[in-house]
């Protein structure tokens, strides 16, 4: 029986890493299923393998980690190691801790552990993320990329992506043969496909700009590109198009809050396209949140709001026409000499 050798014997402690490895192997082979009784995706298994590195490094510093020793106090010490020694960001630490907790829960359900990870956890933070405004998208469409034909192609795919809101894996699926996934109802067209992540069917109205781009390419995108190539090309095309305005960013690294500046083009990726769809749809006022969530595949309002992050901008837009911002005060121009300007700049 799978795991039979790991059932506890009186007075014996069990090393955690071999158990972790067997769990991951079970995920890979399909012997262990997700809570929804699906097979684990290759990407999910890869993430568990990648997180193992930090556990190995922590064990090298502290000695063998035993299953019986893992508790909230142990987790706090592991978090400090990830924070201070590995210099990980807060969200990366949260992901590592969630992985350990998930393995503990599986071991608990298998009857191998008496502890399921209750009390172990750490918080995530909202990091700075960008989306492409309608004006940004028009800039991209107007940009002449010269003989950079590949970048020009990515530009069209990215703009289309911003109006479909699909995950990258589903975008690739659509681009292989767009006509397979097109549906007609009256005068409207839709994309209908089963998502690769959870197998749910999404139906997305085809925007006018998407129709135009499909027509330009004759519904044939002449091969596909990798996730890495797509992200790299998005940043490059955005830089050439002049989307280089500076964004103030914040994150917590090594337990210290860091404020830094990045160019918008350097922050863009395929996730930006998906976030752009959701954010612009929310700002348009013609969508309700439930309809957008059905397209993006977000199942909870909290996860959707963390992804979109337009609440502050939305509030500002809503009050922009308020009479308070239209108070007719008259500002008389004051001529300042150079010395005054220097004093102001240095204040």
């Amino acid at each position: 029986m799978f795991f039979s050798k790991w059932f506890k014997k009186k007075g014996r402690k069990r090393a955690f890493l071999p158990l972790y490895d067997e769990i991951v192997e079970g995920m890979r082979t399909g012997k262990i299923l997700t809570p929804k009784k699906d097979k684990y995706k290759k990407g999910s298994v890869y993430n568990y393998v990648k997180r193992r590195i930090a556990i190995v490094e922590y064990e090298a510093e502290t000695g063998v980690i035993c299953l019986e020793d893992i508790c909230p106090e142990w987790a706090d010490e592991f978090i400090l190691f990830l924070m201070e020694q590995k210099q990980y960001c807060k969200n990366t630490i949260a992901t590592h801790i969630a992985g350990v907790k998930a393995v503990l829960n599986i071991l608990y359900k298998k009857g191998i552990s008496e502890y399921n990870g209750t009390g172990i956890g750490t918080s995530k933070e909202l990091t700075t993320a960008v989306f492409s405004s309608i004006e940004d998208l028009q800039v991209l469409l107007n940009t002449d990329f010269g003989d950079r034909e590949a970048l020009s192609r990515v530009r069209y795919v990215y703009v289309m992506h911003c109006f479909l809101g699909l995950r990258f894996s589903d975008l690739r699926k659509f681009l292989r043969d767009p006509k397979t996934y097109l549906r007609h109802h009256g005068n409207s067209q839709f994309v209908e496909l089963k998502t690769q992540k959870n197998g749910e069917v999404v139906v997305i109205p085809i925007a006018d700009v998407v129709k135009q781009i499909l027509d330009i390419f004759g519904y044939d995108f002449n091969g596909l590109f990798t996730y890495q190539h797509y992200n790299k090309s998005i940043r490059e095309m955005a830089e050439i198009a002049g989307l280089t305005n500076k964004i103030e960013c914040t994150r917590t690294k090594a337990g210290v809050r860091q404020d830094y500046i990045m160019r918008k083009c350097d922050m863009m990726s395929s996730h930006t396209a998906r976030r752009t769809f959701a954010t612009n749809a929310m700002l348009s006022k013609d969508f309700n949140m439930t309809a957008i969530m059905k397209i993006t595949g977000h199942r909870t309002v909290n996860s959707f709001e963390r992804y979109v992050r337009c609440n502050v901008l939305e509030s500002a837009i809503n009050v922009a026409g308020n009479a308070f911002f239209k108070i007719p005060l008259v500002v008389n121009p004051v001529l300042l000499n150079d010395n005054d300007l220097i004093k102001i700049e240095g204040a």
Side-chain angles (χ1 to χ4, degrees):
M1 184 175 65
F2 195 51
F3 285 123
S4 59
K5 65 181 178 181
W6 296 113
F7 286 103
K8 187 174 183 180
K9 295 178 181 178
K10 191 173 181 179
R12 174 190 165 196
K13 284 189 173 184
R14 295 156 295 178
F16 178 65
L17 263 176
L19 283 163
Y20 185 97
D21 291 342
E22 195 152 348
I23 291 285
V24 174
E25 179 63 14
M27 292 174 174
R28 188 186 68 79
T29 59
K31 290 181 180 179
I32 294 178
L33 301 177
T34 69
K36 293 187 176 180
K37 306 306 176 187
D38 297 320
K39 286 188 175 182
Y40 279 89
K41 302 288 185 183
K42 288 182 179 179
S44 297
V45 176
Y46 171 74
N47 286 333
Y48 276 95
V49 172
K50 193 166 63 171
R51 291 182 205 126
R52 182 186 187 276
I53 297 170
I55 300 174
V56 170
E57 292 175 346
Y58 183 57
E59 192 171 76
E61 289 219 354
T62 62
V64 174
I65 300 167
C66 292
L67 175 62
E68 289 74 17
D69 296 332
I70 297 179
C71 61
E73 290 75 21
W74 175 90
D76 287 345
E77 292 175 0
F78 184 43
I79 289 168
L80 282 174
F81 168 78
L82 297 174
M83 185 188 302
E84 296 175 354
Q85 301 294 322
K86 299 293 292 178
Q87 299 278 296
Y88 282 166
C89 297
K90 196 171 185 179
N91 288 348
T92 303
I93 293 173
T95 302
H96 277 73
I97 295 301
V100 170
K101 191 170 180 178
V103 169
L104 287 174
N105 195 41
I106 292 172
L107 292 172
Y108 175 78
K109 289 180 178 179
K110 296 287 183 184
I112 294 168
S113 174
E114 298 176 357
Y115 177 54
N116 67 354
T118 301
I120 289 178
T122 186
S123 61
K124 288 190 172 184
E125 65 180 345
L126 284 178
T127 53
T128 308
V130 296
F131 73 99
S132 297
S133 66
I134 300 303
E135 292 76 15
D136 288 343
L137 297 178
Q138 189 62 64
V139 166
L140 286 171
L141 289 172
N142 292 344
T143 298
D144 181 2
F145 290 98
D147 59 356
R148 304 290 299 276
E149 197 171 318
L151 276 187
S152 181
R153 177 169 167 258
V154 167
R155 168 257 310 271
Y156 287 117
V157 170
Y158 177 80
V159 171
M160 190 164 60
H161 195 180
C162 290
F163 283 89
L164 293 173
L166 295 167
R167 296 182 179 91
F168 177 74
S169 57
D170 298 322
L171 177 70
R172 277 173 57 94
K173 182 178 178 180
F174 172 70
L175 292 178
R176 282 192 187 97
D177 186 7
K179 289 184 178 180
T180 298
Y181 305 101
L182 292 182
R183 303 289 181 266
H184 298 265
H185 182 76
N187 295 325
S188 300
Q189 275 188 298
F190 303 85
V191 173
E192 180 181 354
L193 56 73
K194 185 181 290 187
T195 61
Q196 293 193 26
K197 182 174 182 178
N198 50 32
E200 293 183 352
V201 174
V202 295
V203 181
I204 309 162
I206 293 286
D208 289 342
V209 67
V210 174
K211 289 180 187 176
Q212 293 178 55
I213 293 171
L214 289 172
D215 288 339
I216 288 171
F217 283 87
Y219 295 80
D220 181 2
F221 289 85
N222 189 29
L224 301 174
F225 32 72
T226 65
Y227 179 73
Q228 292 79 6
H229 175 74
Y230 186 43
N231 285 336
K232 180 182 176 184
S233 298
I234 286 171
R235 288 188 282 271
E236 190 174 355
M237 67 154 194
E239 181 178 32
I240 292 173
L243 302 181
T244 56
N245 48 304
K246 294 180 179 179
I247 308 290
E248 185 178 15
C249 306
T250 302
R251 68 178 178 184
T252 303
K253 186 173 182 180
V256 179
R257 172 176 163 157
Q258 297 180 346
D259 296 320
Y260 57 101
I261 302 294
M262 286 188 70
R263 299 185 305 169
K264 186 172 188 176
C265 59
D266 296 326
M267 301 173 67
M268 292 173 62
S269 67
S270 65
H271 285 295
T272 308
R274 190 162 144 76
R275 185 177 292 107
T276 292
F277 170 85
T279 303
N280 283 333
M282 283 291 292
L283 293 175
S284 73
K285 301 300 181 187
D286 293 327
F287 273 108
N288 64 60
M289 188 181 294
T290 303
I292 304 171
M293 288 172 62
K294 284 183 178 178
I295 293 175
T296 62
H298 289 93
R299 295 180 177 177
T300 67
V301 171
N302 281 345
S303 65
F304 178 75
E305 288 183 340
R306 285 178 66 89
Y307 196 82
V308 176
R309 308 180 196 178
C310 69
N311 289 349
V312 176
L313 176 60
E314 186 178 14
S315 297
I317 291 172
N318 286 340
V319 301
N322 188 283
F324 174 79
F325 297 101
K326 309 295 183 183
I327 294 174
L329 294 176
V330 177
V331 179
N332 293 317
V334 177
L335 184 62
L336 297 175
N337 61 41
D338 291 343
N339 290 331
D340 289 331
L341 288 174
I342 292 172
K343 288 177 184 177
I344 291 172
E345 289 173 357

